[in-house]
């Protein structure tokens, strides 16, 4: 009787693992670039349509509503229709749209309104933004699904 061949019993060698930061670097980079683009667009909109002291911050409200609607369309397209590259979602969804929508400015706007003696305007803005943004993302996703279903042969 012969001894078993130990070479054939060994598990195949695994390639060396990359450090975690190396595999995440492209994602961080595309989020940063997309975020810069989205934040720049939001800033340009705020310069074009500035809020008056004590006035309703319409530019921020519509930025958030439009951004949420685009997120609704985008998520349906990349999950139901298009097998997107692994960097598309971090770039556009997290980066561009995350930089474009601005819930931090929304919170600061509310604080400025309340501190400036306009608590009712601040409360109206608080409620309107949440309701409009959630409605926008829901309607955009539902409409996109309906259009895609209607267009199928």
């Amino acid at each position: 009787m012969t001894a078993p061949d130990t070479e054939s019993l060994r598990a195949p060698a695994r390639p060396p693992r990359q450090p975690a930061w190396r595999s995440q670097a492209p994602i961080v980079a595309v989020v940063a670039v997309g975020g810069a683009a989205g934040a720049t667009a939001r800033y340009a909109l705020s310069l074009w349509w500035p809020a008056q002291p004590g006035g309703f911050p319409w530019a921020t409200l519509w930025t958030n509503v439009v951004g949420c609607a685009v997120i609704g369309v985008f998520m349906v397209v990349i999950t139901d229709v298009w097998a997107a590259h692994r960097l598309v979602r971090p770039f556009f969804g997290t980066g561009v749209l995350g930089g474009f929508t601005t819930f931090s400015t929304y919170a600061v706007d509310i604080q400025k309104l309340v501190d400036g003696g306009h608590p009712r305007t601040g409360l109206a803005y608080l409620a309107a933004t949440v309701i409009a943004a959630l409605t926008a993302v829901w309607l955009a996703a539902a409409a996109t699904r309906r259009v895609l279903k209607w267009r199928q042969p």
Side-chain angles (χ1 to χ4, degrees):
M1 193 147 126
T2 60
D5 181 15
T6 57
E7 286 297 315
S8 64
L9 297 176
R10 287 188 191 168
R14 292 185 190 174
R17 294 184 73 188
Q18 282 187 327
W21 67 268
R22 277 194 135 169
S23 63
Q24 296 298 315
I27 296 170
V28 171
V30 298
V31 169
V33 170
T40 301
R42 174 178 32 91
Y43 181 67
L45 183 60
S46 73
L47 292 177
W48 180 70
W49 194 4
Q52 301 303 319
F56 198 87
W58 289 105
T60 305
L61 173 84
W62 285 111
T63 297
N64 287 330
V65 171
V66 168
C68 286
V70 174
I71 287 170
V73 171
F74 175 68
M75 292 308 295
V76 168
V77 169
I78 68 165
T79 57
D80 295 358
V81 177
W82 179 42
H85 185 276
R86 72 180 189 97
L87 297 178
V88 170
R89 185 175 180 172
F91 171 73
F92 192 71
T94 305
V96 174
L97 294 173
F100 183 69
T101 57
T102 173
F103 287 93
S104 58
T105 301
Y106 158 70
V108 170
D109 287 344
I110 293 166
Q111 182 181 8
K112 284 181 182 178
L113 287 167
V114 171
D115 291 348
H118 305 281
R120 283 185 276 181
T121 305
L123 186 60
Y125 177 52
L126 174 87
T129 298
V130 171
I131 292 167
L134 290 174
T135 302
V137 74
W138 181 79
L139 285 174
T144 302
R145 281 192 180 98
R146 179 169 285 199
V147 166
L148 291 173
K149 190 176 184 179
W150 174 71
R151 294 191 67 190
Q152 288 179 346

